[in-house]
Amino acid sequence: KPAEKGGLWESDEDMIGVPGTEEGKGETYVGTRFSSGGAGIQWENSAAAVLALLKLLSAPEDALLQVMTADQLASMRKTASKGRESLKKLIRTYGAVPASILGGNYDMWAQRYNQSAHLADYPGGSDAGFGWTYLRYPHVASTVWAALALMFQFDEGAPIKEMANPYAASEGFNDVIYNGDTTCLGHKPAPDLANCKLFPRCVAANLTGDC
């Protein structure tokens, strides 16, 4: 849901742009807050949320329509698309994804700590809602999660690359299912990979049997 309706998704305007050239100044981006008590888009969470939405939307449409209305599905697709395009735009503009695009320093944030909305053009980054802020600097985790989301599906209608999902099963392993005892019931990917000892997750769980 959008922030104004109690959700986490919101839009932020870049009031600064690239230092020296002001490229990107005035651009609007769509993403999520760090928490319901925070304010301002935090881009690590936003990129992870985009990937999660894209994963959900990769399910068959008839299955999705069993748990949501057509309008809700359309809204979810629109939100995922806007979030993904925002990630692309940040990378094109800055060469990395910042933790926040909101300006201002720590002192500015401290004046507004735990408020539900930013009241200044440069509020001191994006308030996490837990006693800290994310300032406007290139951010490793935000950049990595953005890369994973874009590798998962770069454009609407493009192929899904499940292995870009960090929560996916390991390559050649697929979705292993456990039957509650000591037998590995994973999918057998190839005739020469029948031994469960070849799969680290089976070994770690002390499972035996053919995969």
Side-chain angles (χ1 to χ4, degrees):
K1 292 191 294 184
E4 61 269 19
K5 295 183 178 180
L8 295 175
W9 288 89
E10 66 173 65
S11 61
D12 284 348
E13 181 181 353
D14 188 345
M15 304 289 290
I16 300 173
V18 176
T21 67
E22 296 190 348
E23 179 186 354
K25 183 177 180 179
E27 292 282 357
T28 299
Y29 298 87
V30 174
T32 69
R33 292 179 287 169
F34 191 83
S35 71
S36 57
I41 295 171
Q42 201 279 338
W43 287 102
E44 176 185 351
N45 278 21
S46 298
V50 167
L51 196 160
L53 283 179
L54 295 176
K55 170 64 177 176
L56 178 60
L57 291 169
S58 69
E61 183 172 321
D62 57 346
L64 293 173
L65 290 174
Q66 292 181 28
V67 295
M68 67 182 76
T69 67
D71 286 345
Q72 289 172 327
L73 178 57
S75 177
M76 185 178 293
R77 284 176 172 155
K78 184 177 181 180
T79 298
S81 179
K82 285 185 175 181
R84 177 169 50 197
E85 291 307 310
S86 291
L87 296 174
K88 292 180 187 178
K89 188 161 52 175
L90 285 169
I91 293 171
R92 284 195 298 264
T93 302
Y94 292 102
V97 180
S100 171
I101 58 167
L102 300 176
N105 58 22
Y106 185 86
D107 288 340
M108 286 293 293
W109 167 77
Q111 296 175 34
R112 294 167 171 77
Y113 168 55
N114 264 351
Q115 292 190 13
S116 60
H118 289 283
L119 303 177
D121 288 342
Y122 310 105
S126 297
D127 183 358
F130 295 108
W132 68 85
T133 187
Y134 287 91
L135 296 175
R136 183 190 157 91
Y137 293 107
H139 192 241
V140 172
S142 298
T143 304
V144 170
W145 273 102
L148 292 170
L150 295 177
M151 287 190 294
F152 184 80
Q153 189 187 42
F154 191 80
D155 288 306
E156 187 172 354
I160 296 291
K161 297 182 179 179
E162 182 62 33
M163 294 314 299
N165 177 4
Y167 296 110
S170 300
E171 187 172 359
F173 190 67
N174 292 334
D175 293 323
V176 163
I177 305 169
Y178 302 137
N179 70 352
D181 57 18
T182 61
T183 303
C184 175
L185 301 179
H187 176 71
K188 181 178 178 180
D192 60 334
L193 294 180
N195 192 332
C196 272
K197 292 182 179 178
L198 295 175
F199 298 99
R201 195 181 303 179
C202 286
V203 174
N206 295 316
L207 301 179
T208 60
D210 291 338
C211 292

